[in-house]
Amino acid sequence: MNIVVLDAATLAGADLSPLANFGTVTTYEHTVDEQIASRIQDANVIVSNKVQLNERHFAQAPQLKLICVAATGTNNIDLAAARTAGIAVTNVAGYSTPSVVQHTFTLLGNLMTNIHRYAEDCRNGAWQQSPMFCRLDHTITEIANKRFVIVGYGNLGQAVANVAKAFGAQVVVAERPHSKEVRRGRMAFEEALKVADIVSIHCPLTPQTENVFNADTLALLPKHAILINTARGGIVDEAALAKALSDKQLAAAGVDVLSTEPAQPDNPLIQYQGDNLLLTPHTAWASKESIDRLIAGIADNIDSYLNGGQTNRVI
């Protein structure tokens, strides 16, 4: 088997030796569109995270049988064209859940305890100049007893809910936006926003969720609310969020994803300078353990394909 990894840099130098059990592995740190054809022309298996592959590329790879997406989302692959070409496509579901949960609460904890501001104060000598043993310049609040609204209640949302409950939060599961029915145990989306102290987003980006957090819905949140987005950037209208933060219509936000990545200089959240925003560069998924699980999942998918098996990773 000729296995080609198109964007190995997205795997942070992970050990790819499990893939070598199935054949020759050729790796490229990055691949741009004009390089794809020459790199995949003899490939039987492609491993790719973010390289976009479509019908044109499939026609250039006559030996291609399997695409292993090194991620959960498959939006970078033309699935219909792959199906027509007889190319199987797999993803790896759930590998990053512990990492994303940890990152969610890291962002939230920093914002609620103002750790980033206190750390900066220490670097600038404020503690050394304090007339008492500590500094109390920035408000510190607790997760306990807060209404913790979760938007997107799949495996990841449920894992976040479990940790929120361990902190003593009152978990509220928001119904899907625009839904005409409210399922048992859930609260209508807009009603949930109105009572939220914390909102954590874990839903996929779909036509129904694109910019669902916009000027109107952000205005429903109490002014003390904190918004965390470790899902997809397009779910939140970034200009509206920047304005809400600037106008103190929203207390704070922690964001790991943007609508266009890598971040563009003119993105409103990149330009925003307030200390009530924590922005990280799409790293919530990327713990060492998470990446190791991802590689193991890709190897499992190749093994399953070669042995004619079906797993819940096969699309």
Side-chain angles (χ1 to χ4, degrees):
M1 298 283 286
N2 291 321
I3 302 170
V4 177
V5 182
L6 291 178
D7 49 358
T10 67
L11 302 174
D15 178 13
L16 299 180
S17 61
L19 306 186
N21 293 328
F22 306 103
T24 302
V25 180
T26 304
T27 63
Y28 300 98
E29 291 295 286
H30 304 279
T31 298
V32 297
D33 187 73
E34 56 266 28
Q35 296 171 323
I36 294 175
S38 62
R39 292 181 175 183
I40 69 171
Q41 60 185 349
D42 297 319
N44 304 119
V45 178
I46 292 174
V47 177
S48 174
N49 187 335
K50 292 294 186 282
V51 177
Q52 295 188 4
L53 298 170
N54 56 42
E55 181 180 13
R56 171 170 55 89
H57 302 121
F58 303 152
Q60 296 164 339
Q63 307 303 316
L64 182 61
K65 301 300 182 185
L66 175 65
I67 298 171
C68 293
V69 179
T72 297
T74 59
N75 53 295
N76 291 312
I77 310 298
D78 185 333
L79 297 178
R83 191 176 300 111
T84 299
I87 300 167
V89 180
T90 68
N91 64 344
V92 185
Y95 73 93
S96 64
T97 295
S99 184
V100 175
V101 171
Q102 178 173 296
H103 198 91
T104 295
F105 284 93
T106 298
L107 289 172
L108 181 60
N110 270 276
L111 290 168
M112 296 190 74
T113 57
N114 273 303
I115 283 178
H116 57 303
R117 299 172 73 182
Y118 279 117
E120 184 66 20
D121 288 349
C122 288
R123 283 192 292 270
N124 292 335
W127 194 7
Q128 299 87 313
Q129 300 168 11
S130 178
M132 57 182 180
F133 73 98
C134 64
R135 300 291 309 196
L136 297 173
D137 304 83
H138 316 296
T139 301
I140 298 171
T141 56
E142 297 178 352
I143 298 174
N145 298 313
K146 299 297 188 295
R147 289 191 181 92
F148 196 114
V149 173
I150 295 179
V151 179
Y153 201 57
N155 291 336
L156 183 51
Q158 293 172 41
V160 168
N162 289 336
V163 176
K165 290 174 184 176
F167 273 107
Q170 302 172 30
V171 171
V172 175
V173 181
E175 186 53 88
R176 292 185 182 121
H178 316 300
S179 176
K180 296 180 180 179
E181 297 183 4
V182 179
R183 286 167 285 178
R184 184 175 181 180
R186 304 196 180 207
M187 184 180 293
F189 177 72
E190 293 188 351
E191 295 306 311
L193 297 189
K194 291 177 183 178
V195 302
D197 299 307
I198 300 161
V199 177
S200 193
I201 303 173
H202 302 288
C203 60
L205 175 60
T206 67
Q208 290 72 39
T209 63
E210 184 174 8
N211 284 336
V212 72
F213 284 89
N214 50 47
D216 292 335
T217 50
L218 290 172
L220 298 176
L221 292 166
K223 292 185 183 299
H224 64 267
I226 295 174
L227 178 71
I228 305 293
N229 185 15
T230 56
R232 287 291 181 268
I235 295 169
V236 178
D237 181 325
E238 291 151 351
L241 177 57
K243 188 175 190 306
L245 292 169
S246 178
D247 294 347
K248 308 300 182 186
Q249 181 183 328
L250 185 67
V255 175
D256 184 57
V257 286
L258 295 177
S259 56
T260 300
E261 296 173 344
Q264 300 301 299
D266 60 350
N267 185 289
L269 296 182
I270 290 293
Q271 294 185 336
Y272 184 74
Q273 297 297 310
D275 55 18
N276 57 346
L277 171 68
L278 285 181
L279 186 62
T280 54
H282 204 144
T283 55
W285 65 280
S287 69
K288 178 185 181 303
E289 295 84 354
S290 176
I291 294 173
D292 288 344
R293 286 190 294 270
L294 175 60
I295 300 303
I298 293 170
D300 284 348
N301 283 337
I302 296 174
D303 183 66
S304 176
Y305 175 80
L306 292 176
N307 288 287
Q310 296 290 318
T311 75
N312 60 6
R313 300 185 181 95
V314 176
I315 300 168

